[in-house]
Amino acid sequence: MFRRLRLKLTVLYAGLFFLTLSLIGFSAWAIIANNAQRMVRDELQTTGIVFDRLWQLRAEHLQEGASISASDYGFRQAIASNDEPTIASALANLRRRLSADLVFLVTPQGAIINAGETTTIAASPRLRQALEEELDADNAPSGVLMFAEAPHQAVIAPVLAPDLLGWVVVGERLDRREMHGLEALSAIPLQACALVRGAQGWSALEPAIEPRDQEKVSGFVERALHSRETRPDMLHLSTGDAIALVKPFRSLDGVESVLLLRYPIAAALAPYQPLFNSLIAIGFVAIVLLSFGSWLLASGITKPISRLELAARRLQAGAYEPVEVRTRDEIAHLAEGFNAMAAAIQEREQKITRLALHDSETDLPNRLAIERRLQPSMNAGARLHVAAIGVDRFAHVRGAIGYAHAEALMRQLGQRIVALAHDAPMARISSDILIVAFTAEDEPASRRRLRKLQLALEQTLSLDGQLIDVAVSIGVAQAKPKDDAPNQLIQRASIALDQARAACTKIAFFDEASYGDPTRNLSLMGEMRRALANGDMTLAHQPKLNLRSNVIEGVESLVRWKHPRRGMIGPDVFIPMAEDTGHIRALTDWVLARAIAEQKLLAQSGRAITFSVNISGRLLSDREFAQSAMRLVEAAAAPICFEITETAVIDNPDIALENIDLFARGDVQISIDDYGSGLSSLAYLKQLPAHELKIDKVFIQSLANSQRDALLVRSTIDLAHGLGMKVTAEGVETPATLALLNTMGCDIAQGYLVGRPVPIDQLLTILADAARRTA
């Protein structure tokens, strides 16, 4: 929020001080407001008591005057003789004597005679009923009487002679004049008004309450009457909160009325407003002074910190400049620590830079160092060549002489390169590979230079007095305009080194055509997984003919891939790639499951034959695959045969043989595929629990023309029969070959002469035709 520490400290200190002042002010305000409210409540309570006393005194005064008139003999005679002028004159005299607002006589017949008036009016039934009830309840009743739509404090005096001649009613109107008189008796400037219950709730007959507050006042009065407690409470009005007290009147005619006393809170707190204004002014001045002082204090803190920040930025840019702080406080200690840290960083950076650019074991430049040196030459477009020099059979050499001497050997080779090519960039990029870069006009010039280098490096070395002969291979790559990074050139040189070793040559230039496109191959593997799911992969089944019965007794299931864009992709392309990338497991699982499913289709047509599936040597050491394959084989409708190569168990023979035993125990037939194509081992042939031996087609296809191949095939057949195995000949393409195999005692023939690999529907047709021919 704040990007400058000086401003942040100033705002922080000023904010904390303001918060403290606010808490103090609010606390003081709350205490004063609470005390003011308590004082107002006490005053309202006292005023209510005074009102009760005044009400009683006034009622006694009116009652006394009304009783004297009611007991006057002449007045009674006038009433008895129905002398209305005399009655009106007497009532007028009573009103003048008592200074009353209301004086009239109610006759038993319900007529009302007002003071000073000679005409009479009829009393309302409600008034007559109220007079009778009040007379029965009290000899001198008093209370509030509604007359001419106005509330009056009234008393009633019966006129008896001795029978009831009527009632003398005397009262004073409860108007604003009366309320002002009551307000003048209070010690606080409260507001008083009389309220009468009507159809719309409680309302004042005079404009003492705002119309918008009418509903709030009605609710307050109802709650006060319901609680039956005469105590002040808070009344929320549109003009502000007030403390209010409700005093109910006694009704003489059934109309409810109350007295509402209220005092605004704002008026109670008005005397304290100057005090609060003074506190606000003092607080404002204090905040200004504190902010100014905080700004000065923060300046003394932030200036040294700013110098430290500038020094840190320079340190980031590689400039090591000490920071001077003249104070002796914590910031000075921080500056001393920063200077020590900068010096230590400078020292460590030098060490790290050397470690980053040099091989820790031989102290020769590493890959990063040579990439930095190559970049300017590549940018300049020089005829740059990079040679990857690899020590042949380095792992065996290191095992013979030890790791320490092996590192010394690589160090001496690097020193020889530096001596022969003084300014040429050189580095060690792996345990057995050195890189050197140079310029040459063309490939012959580069080859001549590297030939001299190779001869020099293969001179006998001396390690601790022991002479060691070294052989090296060299891979070379030439910079191309499209190269944008040295690592691409180094990578091609390393690939050229692999190509040189594969070709058993000392010097080889990078051959892009033979290397291919690894990215395309990796993409092909991703497409292979999708092909397994969308149906681009299919199985083709090549028949296997029993030479004894002349019946097709089995097929070899071969995978076929028809790519939507590339067309048919041969198994020799994607199967080795799947083995190298780890996708062979998914492919083999699919082939095995599909072969079992199509075998069931044959069984349903009455032709249950053996299906053979090729198992990669990479999977024979996978226990999880072996268990998964056995679960799939349990659902087979006829025998399943796994074809494996004799060399498949070489990498991990113990686990491979264990899995092969698991297959054999699970009624899976084992076939040794491509026998004779590799380094056939009688030891592995003896250990494998095989049921079938398949002779590689390289021997079968030249069988009719080569006495040597015929001798090898015959001896292999005899050997297999002696071990209890059937013999299958692959690549049978001519009748002469088939006849020779039959003569030699071969069991099964497989090849184009017997039948090409076909889909399951064509296989059904072939089997049906063969069944008709033998029938």
Side-chain angles (χ1 to χ4, degrees):
M1 182 177 180
F2 299 103
R3 305 186 65 177
R4 296 178 61 87
L5 181 59
R6 179 186 301 181
L7 179 60
K8 184 177 181 179
L9 291 175
T10 302
V11 172
L12 177 62
Y13 293 152
L16 290 175
F17 185 72
F18 175 77
L19 180 61
T20 303
L21 285 181
S22 299
L23 291 176
I24 294 174
F26 285 133
S27 299
W29 178 266
I31 294 172
I32 292 174
N34 186 51
N35 291 335
Q37 291 181 23
R38 187 172 60 253
M39 179 192 71
V40 171
R41 292 175 189 272
D42 295 341
E43 288 295 335
L44 283 177
Q45 198 75 29
T46 303
T47 302
I49 297 173
V50 172
F51 168 76
D52 291 340
R53 183 58 181 163
L54 289 176
W55 182 274
Q56 182 180 359
L57 290 175
R58 181 174 296 173
E60 291 177 354
H61 174 67
L62 295 176
Q63 186 67 47
E64 182 180 0
S67 299
I68 293 174
S69 296
S71 59
D72 183 72
Y73 178 78
F75 184 67
R76 287 184 292 177
Q77 285 293 110
I79 295 174
S81 60
N82 198 20
D83 186 0
E84 291 185 3
T86 302
I87 295 173
S89 175
L91 293 176
N93 182 47
L94 177 60
R95 182 171 63 184
R96 286 192 301 273
R97 187 171 66 252
L98 297 179
S99 299
D101 297 322
L102 178 67
V103 177
F104 62 87
L105 174 68
V106 181
T107 64
Q109 293 76 24
I112 295 178
I113 303 175
N114 280 317
E117 298 181 6
T118 58
T119 61
T120 61
I121 60 177
S124 65
R126 189 178 63 181
L127 177 60
R128 292 183 57 191
Q129 181 181 359
L131 291 176
E132 293 176 356
E133 292 177 354
E134 291 296 335
L135 183 61
D136 293 339
D138 194 346
N139 292 330
S142 65
V144 175
L145 177 67
M146 290 296 296
F147 192 81
E149 298 183 355
H152 293 75
Q153 180 184 5
V155 297
I156 302 174
V159 181
L160 301 173
D163 297 329
L164 179 65
L165 300 177
W167 296 272
V168 176
V169 180
V170 180
E172 292 187 0
R173 184 171 180 172
L174 298 176
D175 54 9
R176 287 305 306 162
R177 178 177 57 82
E178 292 296 327
M179 296 298 103
H180 285 318
L182 180 60
E183 292 170 357
L185 295 176
S186 176
I188 58 175
L190 56 79
Q191 299 173 359
C193 65
L195 303 178
V196 178
R197 184 195 293 273
Q200 304 299 325
W202 294 89
S203 60
L205 300 179
E206 298 182 8
I209 297 176
E210 295 287 340
R212 55 187 174 181
D213 294 330
Q214 187 69 41
E215 184 176 353
K216 296 178 181 179
V217 172
S218 296
F220 179 81
V221 173
E222 289 292 340
R223 289 192 298 272
L225 296 178
H226 182 72
S227 63
R228 298 182 180 180
E229 295 183 7
T230 307
R231 60 182 181 84
D233 203 352
M234 185 67 67
L235 175 59
H236 303 286
L237 301 175
S238 59
T239 56
D241 294 343
I243 303 295
L245 176 65
V246 175
K247 300 288 292 184
F249 293 126
R250 181 183 180 187
S251 177
L252 294 178
D253 56 358
V255 179
E256 295 183 75
S257 58
V258 295
L259 175 67
L260 178 65
L261 303 176
R262 53 194 169 96
Y263 184 70
I265 297 297
L269 297 178
Y272 304 99
Q273 194 62 43
L275 173 61
F276 282 107
N277 293 338
S278 300
L279 289 176
I280 292 173
I282 294 172
F284 177 77
V285 174
I287 290 176
V288 172
L289 294 177
L290 180 67
S291 300
F292 181 72
S294 300
W295 182 266
L296 295 179
L297 177 63
S299 299
I301 297 175
T302 55
K303 285 182 179 179
I305 294 178
S306 299
R307 290 198 294 270
L308 285 171
E309 178 191 7
L310 179 60
R313 293 185 180 275
R314 291 177 178 174
L315 178 63
Q316 181 183 9
Y320 299 92
E321 298 180 2
V323 180
E324 295 183 4
V325 178
R326 296 182 177 85
T327 60
R328 296 184 178 181
D329 53 12
E330 289 82 356
I331 296 180
H333 298 324
L334 177 61
E336 294 175 359
F338 177 82
N339 293 334
M341 178 191 69
I345 290 176
Q346 184 179 14
E347 181 180 356
R348 283 196 296 271
E349 187 180 59
Q350 294 173 351
K351 294 181 180 179
I352 292 172
T353 301
R354 180 164 185 82
L355 290 174
L357 299 177
H358 288 77
D359 179 50
S360 61
E361 296 170 340
T362 61
D363 202 35
L364 296 174
N366 60 11
R367 186 181 188 122
L368 178 60
I370 195 171
E371 286 181 357
R372 288 187 175 182
R373 293 194 61 184
L374 290 179
Q375 191 66 62
S377 300
M378 295 182 65
N379 294 339
R383 298 177 181 270
L384 188 65
H385 291 69
V386 171
I389 305 170
V391 178
D392 295 340
R393 302 178 69 253
F394 180 77
H396 295 84
V397 174
R398 184 173 57 190
I401 65 177
Y403 277 77
H405 288 95
E407 301 302 335
L409 182 148
M410 297 300 296
R411 183 165 52 251
Q412 286 195 27
L413 291 178
Q415 292 169 355
R416 285 187 179 183
I417 294 174
V418 172
L420 293 172
H422 301 287
D423 297 328
M426 187 275 300
R428 184 191 187 195
I429 64 170
S430 67
S431 60
D432 63 334
I433 299 177
L434 298 173
I435 289 289
V436 62
F438 57 92
T439 57
E441 291 298 326
D442 50 22
E443 182 177 328
S446 174
R447 188 179 293 274
R448 288 192 298 271
R449 184 169 183 176
L450 291 174
R451 180 61 178 170
K452 294 179 181 180
L453 180 61
Q454 176 240 328
L455 294 175
L457 292 176
E458 290 185 344
Q459 295 294 323
T460 302
L461 293 171
S462 176
L463 296 176
D464 290 341
Q466 301 296 324
L467 299 180
I468 298 177
D469 292 329
V470 178
V472 298
S473 298
I474 302 176
V476 190
Q478 184 177 359
K480 298 180 180 179
K482 65 179 181 179
D483 292 334
D484 57 357
N487 64 336
Q488 296 178 351
L489 189 56
I490 295 173
Q491 183 181 21
R492 289 204 304 274
S494 300
I495 297 171
L497 175 60
D498 294 336
Q499 292 174 343
R501 286 172 171 171
C504 298
T505 181
K506 285 295 184 180
I507 301 174
F509 281 77
F510 174 70
D511 186 355
E512 187 172 2
S514 63
Y515 180 61
D517 187 0
T519 304
R520 186 171 182 266
N521 295 338
L522 184 61
S523 173
L524 187 65
M525 288 298 96
E527 294 175 354
M528 187 192 76
R529 282 191 170 273
R530 290 191 291 271
L532 294 175
N534 59 26
D536 290 339
M537 287 282 188
T538 59
L539 286 186
H541 308 282
Q542 187 172 28
K544 297 170 70 175
L545 178 66
N546 189 315
L547 298 179
R548 301 282 188 273
S549 61
N550 199 30
V551 174
I552 296 175
E553 66 174 20
V555 294
E556 181 180 359
S557 298
L558 304 171
V559 64
R560 295 292 182 261
W561 184 3
K562 186 176 182 181
H563 196 279
R565 296 189 309 276
R566 305 182 189 183
M568 293 300 299
I569 301 177
D572 57 335
V573 174
F574 65 86
I575 289 181
M577 197 179 302
E579 290 183 326
D580 294 337
T581 57
H583 292 77
I584 192 63
R585 168 69 186 277
L587 179 60
T588 305
D589 286 342
W590 182 87
V591 170
L592 182 57
R594 187 63 176 267
I596 292 173
E598 295 187 356
Q599 186 189 51
K600 289 182 179 180
L601 292 177
L602 289 181
Q604 291 172 2
S605 64
R607 297 174 178 85
I609 62 175
T610 302
F611 272 50
S612 298
V613 176
N614 290 280
I615 304 298
S616 171
R618 301 291 178 90
L619 297 177
L620 285 181
S621 300
D622 189 343
R623 289 191 175 94
E624 183 180 349
F625 165 76
Q627 296 172 359
S628 174
M630 292 308 299
R631 288 193 294 269
L632 291 174
V633 169
E634 290 176 358
I640 295 292
C641 178
F642 285 172
E643 295 190 5
I644 62 175
T645 59
E646 56 182 329
T647 58
V649 298
I650 292 178
D651 292 339
N652 198 337
D654 294 336
I655 300 179
L657 291 173
E658 178 184 331
N659 289 335
I660 293 174
D661 287 338
L662 176 64
F663 297 150
R665 292 194 307 270
D667 295 331
V668 174
Q669 298 180 12
I670 303 298
S671 175
I672 300 176
D673 195 14
D674 297 334
Y675 182 79
S677 62
L679 298 177
S680 301
S681 172
L682 293 178
Y684 282 116
L685 191 61
K686 174 184 175 182
Q687 296 180 57
L688 295 176
H691 303 82
E692 179 185 64
L693 188 144
K694 298 183 71 174
I695 302 175
D696 191 77
K697 63 183 179 180
V698 296
F699 299 100
I700 303 302
Q701 290 174 346
S702 60
L703 183 63
N705 302 320
S706 173
Q707 290 293 332
R708 182 183 295 273
D709 287 345
L711 179 60
L712 290 173
V713 171
R714 178 181 292 277
S715 61
T716 301
I717 293 174
D718 293 339
L719 174 63
H721 286 167
L723 294 175
M725 292 185 287
K726 295 185 297 183
V727 178
T728 298
E730 294 183 297
V732 179
E733 298 180 356
T734 64
T737 301
L738 182 63
L740 284 173
L741 289 172
N742 202 354
T743 303
M744 292 178 182
C746 183
D747 301 295
I748 301 171
Q750 179 181 349
Y752 286 171
L753 181 63
V754 177
R756 292 177 176 271
V758 294
I760 187 65
D761 52 350
Q762 295 184 26
L763 178 62
L764 281 168
T765 303
I766 292 173
L767 293 177
D769 293 342
R772 283 194 298 270
R773 286 196 302 268
T774 57

